[in-house]
Amino acid sequence: MKKTALLNAQLSHCIATLGHTESLTICDAGLPIPLSVERIDLALTAGVPSFLQTLNVVTNEMYVERVVIAEEIKEKNPEILTALLTQLQQLESHQGNQIQVEFVSHETFKKFTLESKAIVRTGECSPYANVILYSGVPF
């Protein structure tokens, strides 16, 4: 059995096979997921697992060099945004790099998800709790 926190085999495999600059999206329960992108559905019920819990586990396994977030989160979900940015700052410290943060419109965000290797659906039921993580290299 795996020793690390991430036990979901499908998600673990996806992260292990990411190449430099490839992306993985973590989303709330409502984000539309294109049929052309692998869906990793973790949602069990409203709030389980949460967006932030999922982000924490994923970023313990994945080296992140940049993220994309929908601009609308600033107004519609500032609490999640604050927690997300805090987690990213902690990740920067742990990884020893600066993570580029880019804000785009929600419509543009949805278009960017088409390029993700997979989209991880959480049970999060708050607006715009979505992030696209771009893989970096730790060397």
Side-chain angles (χ1 to χ4, degrees), residues 1-98:
M1 182 164 188
K2 279 188 64 154
K3 187 176 178 180
T4 58
L6 180 56
L7 298 178
N8 182 284
Q10 186 181 7
L11 182 52
S12 182
H13 178 265
C14 180
I15 293 169
T17 58
L18 281 171
H20 185 218
T21 74
E22 288 187 309
S23 65
L24 176 69
T25 299
I26 300 174
C27 72
D28 59 34
L31 186 76
I33 299 175
L35 294 176
S36 61
V37 179
E38 179 182 4
R39 172 192 294 251
I40 302 175
D41 199 332
L42 304 180
L44 296 174
T45 190
V48 180
S50 75
F51 169 76
L52 293 171
Q53 287 172 325
T54 305
L55 176 68
N56 185 52
V57 172
V58 166
T59 57
N60 278 326
E61 298 272 330
M62 180 181 173
Y63 191 91
V64 177
E65 72 176 16
R66 102 179 159 99
V67 301
V68 173
I69 305 166
E71 184 78 32
E72 290 84 347
I73 195 172
K74 293 176 181 177
E75 182 181 324
K76 302 289 186 181
N77 202 344
E79 299 83 17
I80 289 286
L81 176 59
T82 298
L84 169 58
L85 293 176
T86 298
Q87 279 197 19
L88 291 174
Q89 288 174 340
Q90 292 169 350
L91 183 59
E92 284 179 330
S93 177
H94 177 72
Q95 292 183 161
N97 71 321
Q98 185 173 1

